[in-house]
Amino acid sequence: MITSDTLRRIAHFDSAGLPVVSAYVGLPARSESPRAARSRLSSMLSETEATTSDGDLDHDARLSVREDLARIREAAPTGPPGAGAVALFACSGRGFFEQVRLPRHVRDRLVVDGTPWTRPMLAVLDEFHRAGVVVLDRADARLWELFQDELGDELALHDTALRGSRYAGWHGLDERHVHDKAEELRKRHFSRVADTVRTLARERGWELLVVGGHHEEVSLFVPFLPHGLRERVAGTFAADPGTVRPAEVQQAAAKVVEDYERLEEVRWVEDALGLHAAGGLAVVGVEDCLWAASVKAVQLLLVQDEATVPGLVCPRCGWLGARGQTRGPCPVCGAPTSATGDVLEELAEAVIDNSGTVEHVSAQTRLAEHLCAAVLRFPLPAAPSAE
Ligand SMILES: [Zn+2]
């Protein structure tokens, strides 16, 4: 599981002046042999080796980078074809090495810089919500974290004072008093659970919360959450904290989060299409989105998941075009263009490189007929006329 701790460790790593190597390596594509994937990585590493072995770096830095590259070569990703990518970060001189499996393909790239280059990784992971999962009844509660359909280890609920104390020491109370006492304990229990959830949500960066339990108790519990957290309740499911197994929690909570993410996609698509229809800063369709990305105008890109469109890329200025057949010079800078099997992937990468947000839409929405739509940062200049 990719924990928020790992991501924090990478983001805040201080190399104290030594270079950090960041590598993104795609797992073998469906049509590619693992060997071809390895040789891709190998040539990328050799290129970097060549550029960092000259006099630009001092002795310690050079040594550290050389070790980093060896380490990355060793840790080269394995895995089922088409399963995404791996991000690796290394600074051997400071004993730093991290790798993160990404669920989506990203372009192979290797960067040597003063800090870890995390943007492509974060752009992919941003599409998945980190959620807290609480399963409770009136006396018990259990907690987990869910990310990318994976359920982490059960989290300790620090305050277990109430467990098993439900009926202790109540001899001599009449039924009415027992009821009042039980209600009081239930409320105290719920507010302690809510406190724990709030602390964990802040520490672990939970964007969503999923609540499991008996229907009636779940609806009694939710109002105990602080307002900001209550708005983040993605959904609820039925479960008994005493008997539920983690596999059942995983399945139920993953379904809740998935439904939430699909609904969110529908909302984003409707917002973008609505903005475009109203003449706002948005474009719809492949050609306009490509032009918008070419001029770095895209703030949010919505792209139909699994769709591919052949197109053209200008290696010099980054212009993107959809015309698959006529491979002329770049209409912006005149350099020779190269053909690509999927210009939508180039589009997504370009948006990420320019600090935009990318959301792959797999829900059934009106985006299916347009393939992509984008919310813009500024109005587009006129597109160069097609040759
Ligand atoms: Zn160009």
Side-chain angles (χ1 to χ4, degrees):
M1 181 177 196
I2 306 169
T3 65
S4 45
D5 277 349
T6 307
L7 298 180
R8 234 192 318 267
R9 224 168 30 239
I10 296 169
H12 295 166
F13 173 66
D14 180 4
S15 70
L18 281 182
V20 181
V21 178
S22 308
Y24 289 83
V25 185
L27 295 171
R30 281 186 192 83
S31 54
E32 188 183 35
S33 72
R35 203 156 128 213
R38 275 200 96 84
S39 89
R40 257 192 302 129
L41 172 69
S42 191
S43 61
M44 194 162 76
L45 290 168
S46 312
E47 259 172 55
T48 310
E49 236 149 27
T51 54
T52 51
S53 58
D54 56 23
D56 282 358
L57 298 174
D58 68 26
H59 177 75
D60 288 350
R62 238 186 354 255
L63 214 66
S64 181
V65 169
R66 198 185 308 156
E67 232 177 287
D68 293 345
L69 298 176
R71 189 108 195 248
I72 288 169
R73 193 187 294 274
E74 218 171 277
T78 51
V86 178
L88 305 116
F89 307 94
C91 180
S92 302
R94 304 274 178 254
F96 175 74
F97 186 81
E98 298 281 352
Q99 58 177 320
V100 174
R101 188 72 162 265
L102 301 177
R104 190 181 287 290
H105 186 77
V106 297
R107 194 191 297 156
D108 287 348
R109 268 180 292 187
L110 203 145
V111 168
V112 182
D113 198 6
T115 54
W117 185 49
T118 56
R119 176 135 194 99
M121 171 180 76
L122 296 181
V124 169
L125 297 181
D126 269 356
E127 292 195 43
F128 300 87
H129 295 295
R130 195 175 288 281
V133 183
V134 53
V135 178
L136 83 170
D137 64 14
R138 56 180 48 237
D140 205 352
R142 296 172 68 187
L143 286 161
W144 292 267
E145 179 174 297
L146 183 85
F147 187 54
Q148 284 186 51
D149 286 355
E150 268 184 76
L151 193 74
D153 293 334
E154 187 169 347
L155 300 162
L157 191 72
H158 296 297
D159 184 9
T160 52
L162 287 165
R163 286 193 188 180
S165 68
R166 243 190 288 198
Y167 301 110
W170 296 0
H171 305 293
L173 294 175
D174 62 29
E175 207 175 305
R176 169 76 205 232
H177 277 100
V178 168
H179 177 263
D180 288 353
K181 184 91 178 158
E183 278 304 288
E184 195 189 306
L185 286 180
R186 176 183 65 76
K187 284 178 192 157
R188 208 187 302 163
H189 168 60
F190 279 0
S191 90
R192 284 175 180 175
V193 174
D195 280 350
T196 305
V197 169
R198 173 168 56 184
T199 306
L200 286 168
R202 194 184 313 125
E203 282 173 7
R204 294 173 163 261
W206 290 347
E207 299 150 279
L208 299 177
L209 192 63
V210 181
V211 187
H214 303 297
H215 177 71
E216 190 199 348
E217 285 167 344
V218 166
S219 34
L220 287 172
F221 168 68
V222 169
F224 281 80
L225 292 167
H227 186 69
L229 260 181
R230 213 188 304 179
E231 287 175 341
R232 281 187 257 162
V233 175
T236 63
F237 62 94
D240 182 326
T243 59
V244 74
R245 289 177 298 122
E248 296 166 328
V249 173
Q250 185 276 336
Q251 212 173 18
K255 171 87 173 65
V256 167
V257 170
E258 157 130 25
D259 289 349
Y260 178 90
E261 286 175 346
R262 295 298 85 79
L263 271 176
E264 186 181 61
E265 288 173 9
V266 171
R267 206 166 56 232
W268 288 24
V269 167
E270 285 308 312
D271 284 355
L273 295 186
L275 187 62
H276 177 250
L281 280 177
V283 288
V284 170
V286 175
E287 214 139 307
D288 285 351
C289 285
L290 291 176
W291 176 235
S294 298
V295 295
K296 305 177 179 26
V298 177
Q299 179 195 81
L300 166 68
L301 174 73
L302 304 170
V303 58
Q304 185 70 28
D305 200 21
E306 311 268 302
T308 59
V309 174
L312 299 172
V313 185
C314 171
R316 192 202 283 166
C317 75
W319 173 82
L320 298 169
R323 288 158 297 138
Q325 316 90 325
T326 53
R327 190 179 144 191
C330 169
V332 173
C333 74
T337 55
S338 40
T340 169
D342 183 16
V343 78
L344 294 183
E345 188 178 320
E346 301 287 339
L347 171 65
E349 302 259 0
V351 170
I352 288 168
D353 285 351
N354 293 304
S355 304
T357 300
V358 175
E359 181 83 18
H360 289 80
V361 174
S362 54
Q364 301 242 325
T365 70
R366 292 196 285 146
L367 191 68
E369 57 193 277
H370 307 289
L371 298 185
C372 50
V375 176
L376 305 178
R377 295 172 168 144
F378 50 82
L380 295 183
S385 58
E387 294 290 307

